[in-house]
């Protein structure tokens, strides 16, 4: 290939990735420094105000003087300084740091001793805590009431790189209490808040496909178990699958073929969900989750949106069903994809404890009972 027709796309991609990663590191460092400063100031203000060492409107007066003495100073309005106090008081109980000799020598806990949050013994993930801005923290500690809830939003905002508006929408939608625990990027990729909440509520993180009985397939088939066996079992037991997967699903087809740009693509299972007004592509994987599955699903969703989706329908959604998956790893891997995708796990009849399997009637026995009635 001559140099004249080379487009250098791969080189651009590599350099762009390095630039973005460096920018993220700079932002994280800046966040850490700013939060450390605000935490220390909040501690100082908390001591002075809670001990009645300051008079009325002290914070307003100090804020005005600071901005006059440091022209162009931002972030130190009276409101923000009160938020710094709340910031400290919200999180100080999660620090197990004991006073050092320098602390004792410098005086009371009301002295403004510089505090580096990264040196504190927090009972939280400090990388995530210092990886989001103070504005994000204000949104979280003013609207999330419990520690578990706050940590959830910090984790999601850091991992999925939510801006403050996305975070605000998800807090308003009460995603924490309505989450399905399905590791996905729905919160970042579905712009309509009602649609996003529906998707989050609809899909679970694990499905029991107890109508898929691998043991009835014979030893040879059992050894050769792959996605197609599970797929065929689902197709032959669609009613059971819909009862497991949820309401308002319409089956469109399995091995659904899309031909475009000279290539053929086959989606394992394709559904339409009336509640979401979206096509839902389901890919079945026999083993542990792999990041490459997301790239494959991303292409399928792009093809569905470009060539299959109706103009009045919402963007397509992808669900990858694996035998096992690490949720944190999935959340990290899926965050930079622009198409809404989630990864769930499944168990079959053979995965159930032996006592439970023996207690359950077989599909043939159930069919006989139904015929008898």
């Amino acid at each position: 290939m001559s140099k004249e027709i080379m487009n250098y796309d791969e080189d651009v991609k590599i350099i762009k990735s390095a630039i973005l990663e460096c920018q993220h590191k700079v932002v994280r460092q800046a966040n850490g420094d700013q939060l450390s400063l605000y935490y220390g100031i909040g501690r100082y203000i908390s001591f002075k105000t809670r001990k009645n060492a300051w008079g009325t409107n002290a914070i307003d007066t100090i804020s005005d003087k600071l901005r006059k003495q440091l022209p162009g100073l931002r972030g130190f309005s009276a409101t923000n300084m009160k938020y710094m106090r709340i910031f400290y008081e919200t999180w100080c109980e999660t620090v197990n740091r004991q006073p050092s000799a320098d602390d004792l020598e410098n005086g009371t806990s009301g002295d403004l001793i510089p505090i580096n949050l990264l040196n504190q013994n927090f009972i939280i993930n400090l990388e995530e805590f210092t990886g989001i801005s103070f504005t994000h923290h204000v949104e979280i500690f003013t609207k999330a009431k419990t520690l578990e809830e706050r940590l959830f939003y910090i984790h999601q905002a850091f991992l999925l790189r939510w801006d403050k508006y996305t975070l605000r929408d998800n807090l308003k939608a009460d995603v924490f209490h309505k989450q399905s625990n399905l590791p996905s990027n729905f919160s970042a990729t579905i712009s309509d808040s009602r649609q996003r909440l529906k998707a989050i509520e609809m899909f679970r993180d694990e499905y029991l496909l107890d109508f898929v009985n691998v043991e009835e397939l014979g030893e040879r088939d059992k050894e050769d178990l792959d996605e197609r066996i599970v797929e065929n079992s689902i197709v032959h037991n669609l009613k059971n699958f819909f009862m497991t997967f949820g309401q308002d699903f319409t089956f469109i087809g399995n091995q659904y073929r899309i031909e475009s740009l000279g290539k053929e693509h086959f989606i394992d299972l394709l559904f339409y969900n009336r509640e979401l007004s979206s096509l839902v592509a389901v890919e079945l994987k026999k083993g542990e989750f792999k990041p490459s599955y997301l790239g494959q699903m991303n292409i399928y969703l792009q093809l569905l949106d470009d060539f299959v989706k109706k103009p009045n329908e919402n963007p397509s959604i992808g669900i990858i069903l694996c035998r096992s998956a690490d949720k944190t790893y999935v959340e990290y891997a899926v965050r930079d994809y622009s198409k809404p995708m989630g990864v769930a796990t499944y168990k079959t009849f053979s995965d159930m404890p032996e006592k439970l399997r023996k207690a359950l009637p077989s599909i043939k026995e159930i069919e006989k009972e139904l015929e008898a009635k």
Side-chain angles (χ1 to χ4, degrees), residues 59-254:
I59 295 178
D60 298 81
T61 302
I62 292 170
S63 173
D64 289 338
K65 288 181 177 292
L66 282 172
R67 286 184 289 177
K68 288 178 181 177
Q69 294 180 25
L70 295 171
L73 180 67
R74 300 180 62 184
F76 284 86
S77 66
T79 299
N80 241 27
M81 293 180 72
K82 290 173 184 176
Y83 279 146
M84 293 174 202
R85 177 178 62 188
I86 299 172
F87 178 56
Y88 165 75
E89 292 175 350
T90 298
W91 293 105
C92 63
E93 291 184 0
T94 65
V95 182
N96 284 341
R97 175 179 178 270
Q98 297 298 317
S100 66
D102 289 338
D103 292 347
L104 298 175
E105 183 179 340
N106 286 331
T108 69
S109 59
D111 290 332
L112 183 55
I113 302 168
I115 294 176
N116 185 344
L117 289 175
L118 295 177
N119 292 337
Q120 308 305 301
N121 186 22
F122 268 75
I123 315 173
I124 55 177
N125 186 321
L126 268 178
E127 181 186 8
E128 295 180 357
F129 187 84
T130 59
I132 63 174
S133 71
F134 184 66
T135 303
H136 285 72
H137 278 287
V138 171
E139 291 287 338
I140 291 170
F141 67 63
T142 56
K143 296 171 183 173
K145 303 306 179 186
T146 66
L147 176 61
E148 184 182 8
E149 191 176 352
R150 293 180 191 122
L151 293 178
F152 167 80
Y153 287 111
I154 288 172
H155 174 72
Q156 296 296 319
F158 171 80
L159 202 62
L160 300 177
R161 296 173 186 167
W162 289 347
D163 58 34
K164 67 177 181 180
Y165 302 106
T166 302
L167 172 61
R168 190 174 294 165
D169 285 344
N170 289 321
L171 281 160
K172 186 177 180 180
D174 198 17
V175 168
F176 172 75
H177 290 106
K178 297 174 181 176
Q179 62 178 312
S180 63
N181 290 322
L182 174 79
S184 71
N185 63 357
F186 293 163
S187 295
T189 58
I190 301 178
S191 56
D192 183 84
S193 58
R194 293 182 63 186
Q195 175 80 355
R196 178 169 63 243
L197 187 56
K198 287 178 184 177
I200 289 172
E201 291 178 323
M202 182 167 294
F203 299 102
R204 301 201 300 272
D205 62 334
E206 184 172 82
Y207 294 91
L208 176 60
L209 308 183
D210 54 354
F211 51 83
V212 180
N213 189 349
V214 177
E215 293 181 352
E216 292 181 356
L217 300 173
E219 287 301 316
R220 180 176 178 276
D221 287 331
K222 185 177 178 181
E223 292 175 1
D224 297 333
L225 174 66
D226 61 10
E227 295 93 342
R228 192 63 59 84
I229 293 175
V230 179
E231 176 191 321
N232 290 337
S233 296
I234 290 174
V235 171
H236 291 131
N237 294 274
L238 281 176
K239 183 177 179 180
N240 295 27
F241 182 71
F242 288 144
M243 291 175 65
T244 301
F245 212 59
Q247 298 180 344
D248 290 326
F249 281 91
T250 300
F251 180 61
I252 295 178
N254 65 304

Side-chain angles (χ1 to χ4, degrees), residues 8-49:
Y8 304 105
D9 283 350
E10 187 60 30
D11 302 290
V12 171
K13 182 178 178 181
I14 291 171
I15 295 172
K16 177 183 174 183
S17 177
I19 292 171
L20 291 176
E21 182 58 32
C22 181
Q23 288 177 341
H24 290 316
K25 286 182 179 178
V26 170
V27 170
R28 287 197 296 269
Q29 179 63 45
N31 282 339
D33 291 343
Q34 185 186 62
L35 291 176
S36 293
L37 174 64
Y38 287 0
Y39 186 85
I41 292 174
R43 174 174 172 268
Y44 183 80
I45 296 173
S46 177
F47 179 83
K48 292 292 186 179
T49 55

Side-chain angles (χ1 to χ4, degrees), residues 359-373:
L360 291 174
S362 67
I363 293 176
K364 290 181 179 180
E365 290 172 334
I366 294 174
E367 288 174 347
K368 286 182 180 180
E369 288 289 330
L370 292 174
E371 289 173 1
K373 294 179 179 179

